[in-house]
Amino acid sequence: MAINFKKEDFEQLDYKYIMINQTSGTEYRNYNHIWIENFSDNGMTIVLPKASCNLGHNLMLMFLKGRKPRIPAKLSKDGMGKGIIYSLMGKVKTKRDKENNANLSVVELQFSQFDKEGWNKFIGKYEEKQEDITQTLEHIKAYEE
């Protein structure tokens, strides 16, 4: 039995995130300090710089694709712009310190304004990638037996 791999089997989904705190008006453009830990149909757990928000603040999160995306020179208040593939608004429901890093916080963000269809497509990409990984591992396991 032979196993054939395609380049796509090993490509990662690579998104970066930038943010505007709508409550304070502060922009956070360093995508290396913002990442999603998990997400659901109507919210997410996100890691952010500790000073970026507080409970009850409204955040706009913008998604950029690629390992080193170009950030627009001016961030639009509507979350659109060159290089931004998706954006959403949410309210900070909980905030706690990140273990092992006093400069970061783990925030529960409850979506308040978002394109549900676009969000479902985003989740779908991760589900498809997970399914591809599972199938590849099943092929390898069957080959080993």
Side-chain angles (χ1 to χ4, degrees):
M1 173 192 245
I3 301 174
N4 296 317
F5 293 107
K6 301 179 290 281
K7 180 183 172 193
E8 304 87 59
D9 292 337
F10 299 96
E11 290 177 347
Q12 292 182 335
L13 294 176
D14 207 348
Y15 295 98
K16 302 296 183 195
Y17 312 95
I18 56 177
M19 181 188 80
I20 298 175
N21 181 327
Q22 297 287 358
T23 304
S24 70
T26 309
E27 295 181 0
Y28 292 88
R29 296 168 163 267
N30 188 342
Y31 51 75
N32 293 315
H33 296 150
I34 302 172
W35 67 88
I36 297 173
E37 286 198 333
N38 60 54
F39 48 80
S40 66
D41 290 339
N42 59 359
M44 66 175 62
T45 304
I46 187 167
V47 177
L48 303 166
K50 190 172 190 169
S52 65
C53 66
N54 284 312
L55 288 175
H57 280 198
N58 293 306
L59 308 180
M60 177 181 289
L61 192 65
M62 291 161 271
F63 297 54
L64 304 138
K65 189 166 183 170
R67 196 166 295 249
K68 293 184 179 180
R70 292 187 77 129
I71 299 172
K74 181 170 174 32
L75 296 181
S76 170
K77 297 294 181 197
D78 65 1
M80 304 306 287
K82 187 172 184 177
I84 298 172
I85 60 166
Y86 184 75
S87 64
L88 57 82
M89 291 273 295
K91 183 177 277 294
V92 176
K93 292 296 184 184
T94 66
K95 180 181 176 183
R96 63 180 165 79
D97 291 343
K98 174 86 171 143
E99 291 178 22
N100 304 324
N101 192 330
N103 297 319
L104 297 173
S105 291
V106 179
V107 170
E108 294 292 329
L109 193 67
Q110 180 72 45
F111 300 158
S112 56
Q113 296 176 16
F114 69 109
D115 170 21
K116 188 153 179 72
E117 184 177 325
W119 181 245
N120 288 336
K121 285 180 185 178
F122 178 76
I123 291 174
K125 288 179 185 181
Y126 277 94
E127 289 172 342
E128 286 174 22
K129 183 53 83 174
Q130 185 60 51
E131 182 62 28
D132 290 346
I133 291 167
T134 301
Q135 287 179 2
T136 299
L137 291 174
E138 286 175 0
H139 287 286
I140 291 171
K141 186 177 178 182
Y143 186 72
E144 289 176 344
E145 294 174 349

